[in-house]
Amino acid sequence: GVVDLVPGGRGVAVTDDNKLEYVNLVTAHRMTTSIKEQIASFTEGFNDIVPHDVVSLLNPSELELLISGTPDIDVDDLRANTEYTGYSPSTPQVRWFWQVVQELKKEDCARLLMFITGTSKVPLDGFKALQGISGPQRFQIHKAYGGGRRLCSAHTCFNQLDLPEYASKEELQERLLFAIREGSEGFGFG
C-alpha cells in the first residue's frame, strides 16, 4: 500500500524542489521504518550472543572480524593478481613489501586486506575476482611520490595501495604496520 512519508504525502507532487527530501524519506523508510521489527529482532538476537557493551567497544573492522573470523589469505594468489604503477615486481620496495606481507601474522594480514580493499573478506574465486567500485579490479601497488617519510595510504574503491619509496625493508615494515593498525578508520589518513 501507499505510505505517507510526510503528513498528507500522497497528495504532494515530487518536484525538482523537493526531490532530495523525497529520496531521503524513501531511503529512511525502506532502510529503517519499514523493517523496524526485523531490526529489533536481529539486534535482540545479536545482543544475546555478543553483549552490547562489548560491541560498543569495537570499530567496524573489528566487528567484521568478530563476525566473520580471521580469513586465510593466500599471499601468493594476491601477489599473482597484483598490478604495478611506478614500480615493477623487481623494484626493491615491492620485493620488501611482499617479504613483509609473507611475514605478517594472520590478524595483520587481515588488517592489510581491510586497509586496501575495505573488507577482510577474500573473494570466493580468489584475488583474480577482487571487486572494485566499477566491477572486477585487481590489487594495485602505486608508487607514492613525495618522499619516504610518508605513511602508506590506500584507495579502497580501487583496491590500491600507495607505497612510498622507503629506504629499507625495516622502514617499510614499520610504516606499513603503523598504517594498517592505526590508520584503518576514516578517510584521507596518510
Side-chain angles (χ1 to χ4, degrees), residues 59-74:
N59 67 37
S61 304
E62 293 165 333
L63 182 59
E64 180 180 326
L65 288 173
L66 176 69
I67 292 170
S68 303
T70 307
D72 289 319
I73 297 171
D74 183 345

Side-chain angles (χ1 to χ4, degrees), residues 100-159:
V100 167
V101 172
Q102 288 282 2
E103 296 165 4
L104 289 177
K105 293 182 180 124
K106 193 173 179 180
E107 292 79 18
D108 281 332
C109 213
R111 284 186 184 106
L112 175 67
L113 189 58
M114 174 74 77
F115 181 73
I116 297 166
T117 67
T119 181
S120 61
K121 291 183 177 72
V122 176
L124 291 176
D125 291 334
F127 287 105
K128 70 179 180 293
L130 194 61
Q131 294 293 307
I133 193 169
S134 311
Q137 177 68 65
R138 296 173 107 192
F139 172 52
Q140 301 175 55
I141 297 178
H142 284 227
K143 185 178 199 175
Y145 296 94
R149 302 282 319 146
R150 297 181 52 207
L151 290 174
C152 302
S153 60
H155 305 277
T156 56
C157 292
F158 306 108
N159 302 323

Side-chain angles (χ1 to χ4, degrees), residues 27 40-41 48-49 51-52 55 62 79 90 97 107 115 117 123 127 132 137 142 153-154 158-159 167 170 175 180:
T27 302
S41 294
D48 283 348
I49 298 168
H52 179 72
V55 172
E62 293 165 333
R79 187 177 192 169
S90 62
F97 172 81
E107 292 79 18
F115 181 73
T117 67
F127 287 105
Q137 177 68 65
H142 284 227
S153 60
F158 306 108
N159 302 323
E170 294 72 27
R175 300 289 167 91
I180 66 173

Side-chain angles (χ1 to χ4, degrees), residues 83-88 140-145 160-161 163:
E83 298 171 349
Y84 303 93
T85 302
Y87 284 128
S88 73
Q140 301 175 55
I141 297 178
H142 284 227
K143 185 178 199 175
Y145 296 94
Q160 176 182 322
L161 176 70
L163 184 66

